[in-house]
Amino acid sequence: MERFALARELVLQAGAALRESRLREDEIQHKSGYQDLVTRWDKETEQFLRRGISEAFPQDIIVGEEYPAANEGAEGCTWYLDPIDGTTNFVSQHRNYAVSVGCWRGEEPLFGLVLDVERPALYWAQAGSGAFRDGTPLHTSRRREVQELLLTVPGVPRTLLNPHPRQEGLLRLAREVRGVRSLGSVALELCALAAGEADLFVTLRSCPWDHNAGRIILAEAGGSLCDLEGEFLPLDRRTPVLAANAPETLRLVRERYLGAAE
């Protein structure tokens, strides 16, 4: 079985198990703080994904949220796994969370899959072949004027409320766009841009497993993303992310609100 077909099968199986899951309070743990949750389902889902990938492609590198990277330094492809993107939503709402799997060969994107588990809807893209939700082609919105744009922010306190060097510009952006929404899942918010349901996305902190699938889907749908300095997003470390429905929207936001040179 080739990599994309395997990934699709594993993601759908993982989603089916999560939809049937039941969570007890004693199965919820804190990682770096009380807002950073992990459950036994995060761990079991990642173990399931890792096992399926490793058995089929033992030479591949696996980078996931809950366990150390496997096969670092190997020459295969690299998989980025987020078993539950939006764990707080999973715990508190049992909706608005995703299974996210992206696959890259070096810095070349191969494919990304993001399953909105409870909807359920599978967002996916293979490099050079467009983006889809289930079988429906996706394209970003054609809105370009700031007052028409919907901004989505997964972590409102960190991005808009807590002091940081970009706060003033981002607050001005938030006041001037049509609206601001927070879904609480980087992967699903990037897919919302890909589907034309939002127009801008910003976060000050995103990890490789959070965005390395959704970024492929967004790019294939016509969107664009970078870090706050306008640079290519690193694949292997935590980074701020700015994403938009088109390169010209991204450029406008950086020039007008983030102090980029015109």
Side-chain angles (χ1 to χ4, degrees):
M1 184 180 294
E2 54 100 20
R3 285 179 176 85
F4 176 78
L6 173 68
R8 185 179 187 277
E9 180 178 298
L10 291 174
V11 165
L12 291 175
Q13 289 180 17
L18 288 169
R19 277 192 297 277
E20 298 300 318
S21 66
R22 296 296 178 266
L23 188 64
R24 302 193 311 267
E25 283 297 320
D26 62 0
E27 295 173 331
I28 304 168
Q29 299 174 327
H30 301 101
K31 294 193 285 188
S32 62
Y34 73 97
Q35 293 180 328
D36 188 11
L37 304 180
V38 63
T39 73
R40 78 174 180 93
W41 288 99
D42 295 80
K43 296 176 180 179
E44 289 182 5
T45 302
E46 185 166 325
Q47 289 170 354
F48 169 76
L49 296 171
R50 283 174 175 265
R51 186 164 55 249
I53 295 164
S54 295
E55 289 174 356
F57 300 100
Q59 74 278 19
D60 283 2
I61 304 161
I62 302 175
V63 178
E65 181 171 11
E66 307 304 340
Y67 295 98
N71 287 349
E72 280 190 296
E75 296 184 357
C77 297
T78 303
W79 299 68
Y80 297 93
L81 313 180
D82 197 337
I84 301 179
D85 185 46
T87 299
T88 297
N89 294 343
F90 173 70
V91 169
S92 298
Q93 303 173 333
H94 211 76
R95 61 186 175 90
N96 296 328
Y97 65 94
V99 180
S100 176
V101 174
C103 189
W104 294 67
R105 181 178 288 113
E107 292 192 350
E108 174 192 357
L110 298 181
F111 60 81
L113 300 102
V114 173
L115 177 66
D116 185 339
V117 175
E118 296 296 329
R119 200 171 182 177
L122 181 64
Y123 298 85
W124 58 275
Q126 293 177 281
S129 299
F132 300 85
R133 179 168 56 208
D134 298 322
T136 303
L138 298 178
H139 199 284
T140 56
S141 75
R142 290 173 171 77
R143 294 179 286 271
R144 299 293 184 266
E145 298 297 324
V146 170
Q147 64 268 25
E148 297 177 327
L149 303 179
L150 185 64
L151 169 65
T152 181
V153 180
V156 172
R158 180 181 294 114
T159 303
L160 296 179
L161 303 182
N162 296 346
H164 60 82
R166 304 285 191 173
Q167 184 186 28
E168 182 178 347
L170 290 177
L171 283 174
R172 188 159 54 89
L173 173 65
R175 287 192 293 266
E176 294 181 7
V177 295
R178 175 172 286 168
V180 180
R181 299 292 182 268
S182 180
L183 193 57
S185 164
V186 170
L188 289 180
E189 293 186 40
L190 291 176
C191 288
L193 262 70
E197 297 168 355
D199 311 293
L200 290 173
F201 167 92
V202 65
T203 181
L204 295 187
R205 189 178 73 178
S206 182
C207 293
W209 45 81
D210 294 322
H211 56 254
N212 277 342
R215 68 191 287 183
I216 300 173
I217 298 167
L218 176 60
E220 287 294 320
S224 184
L225 75 173
C226 61
D227 67 13
L228 298 189
E229 306 300 326
E231 300 296 328
F232 177 81
L233 286 185
L235 288 167
D236 59 352
R237 63 183 183 274
R238 191 168 65 187
T239 180
V241 179
L242 176 67
N245 56 10
E248 56 265 36
T249 310
L250 194 72
R251 186 165 53 250
L252 170 67
V253 170
R254 291 196 63 251
E255 291 173 355
R256 188 176 297 181
Y257 300 98
L258 297 177
E262 299 190 23

